[in-house]
Amino acid sequence: KNFQSYSIIVVRNQEKKAALFDLVPQEAIRQSSVFLLFIGDLNRAEKGVRLHTNAFYPQGVENLLISSASLVAQNTLLAAESLGYGGVIIGLIRYASREIAELFNLPDYTYPIFGMALGKPAQHHAVKPRLPYETVVFEENYQEQDTSVIQNYDQIQTDYAGDRATDTWSERLAKQFAQKPNLASQDLLQD
């Protein structure tokens, strides 16, 4: 639909990065040459709608999913990597969404989705292994798998991480999905 429901805030200022780090303590934020904050942006949509009607209904899952920020970020990272830069996606931004909205002066109908720390990498790691092709791409119908796929991938991830491994992939899944959801973003969106 070409709604372009995203915006990007480019952060170069060290003080601003330090303030962001205080909210989301990820060292990549402070170490980055530039930090990009990807915003779901329905603010322009609201203004466009108001040219034609007073009704504006941004609520609902569909209007959240319509943001193309993830696609833009993926292409941004690919472009940066093609130029010799590295990047780290910071998803924990959502856990401090209200504070980040205030820090960056976000208007109504906008919400922080994630960030990306960019710079020249100090280390070069092998590309992180993904789930095997046959476990995510199916012909004609979904092919449900048993837990051996998860256990095998746990081992692949553990082997890849080596000494850096602190938990398995499935343990990280459990940390995310075995607890009640963090409502920071939902609370911001409902205001």
Side-chain angles (χ1 to χ4, degrees):
K1 294 183 178 180
N2 196 27
F3 290 151
Q4 302 174 61
S5 300
Y6 67 91
S7 290
I8 305 167
I9 298 175
V10 179
V11 183
R12 290 185 176 89
N13 178 283
Q14 284 303 120
E15 290 81 23
K16 193 82 164 209
K17 286 192 278 185
L20 180 59
F21 176 84
D22 288 343
L23 298 171
V24 183
Q26 296 290 302
E27 196 55 46
I29 294 170
R30 289 195 300 200
Q31 293 176 357
S32 66
S33 297
V34 64
F35 187 82
L36 305 178
L37 181 61
F38 290 84
I39 307 295
D41 191 340
L42 296 177
N43 186 272
R44 286 184 296 271
E46 186 263 344
K47 287 174 175 50
V49 168
R50 299 276 187 221
L51 291 173
H52 304 281
T53 181
N54 285 327
F56 180 62
Y57 301 102
Q59 304 86 350
V61 173
E62 180 66 20
N63 287 337
L64 283 176
L65 294 176
I66 211 163
S67 171
S68 51
S70 296
L71 298 172
V72 171
Q74 180 180 26
N75 286 332
T76 300
L77 184 56
L78 288 171
E81 288 175 345
S82 77
L83 296 170
Y85 297 96
V88 177
I89 303 290
I90 310 289
L92 292 175
I93 292 293
R94 292 183 307 278
Y95 290 1
S97 57
R98 182 174 305 282
E99 295 85 356
I100 289 169
E102 291 172 12
L103 178 63
F104 290 96
N105 202 27
L106 298 185
D108 289 342
Y109 308 116
T110 62
Y111 48 97
I113 300 177
F114 54 85
M116 182 186 301
L118 292 174
K120 287 284 188 183
Q123 302 172 359
H124 291 280
H125 297 288
V127 174
K128 185 179 286 189
R130 309 302 289 173
L131 284 162
Y133 176 86
E134 63 277 3
T135 66
V136 295
V137 178
F138 312 118
E139 295 288 334
E140 308 301 336
N141 294 301
Y142 188 91
Q143 303 294 316
E144 189 169 359
Q145 298 128 22
D146 62 32
T147 58
S148 68
V149 168
I150 307 302
Q151 292 166 321
N152 290 339
Y153 190 60
D154 273 348
Q155 189 59 56
I156 290 168
Q157 284 286 307
T158 300
D159 292 345
Y160 162 79
D163 293 341
R164 296 174 293 143
T166 56
D167 50 17
T168 66
W169 186 68
S170 62
E171 288 170 336
R172 289 192 304 277
L173 288 172
K175 287 178 184 175
Q176 176 68 34
F177 296 106
Q179 61 181 324
K180 292 185 179 189
N182 181 307
L183 300 177
S185 291
Q186 180 178 322
D187 292 345
L188 176 66
L189 291 168
Q190 288 178 340
D191 279 351

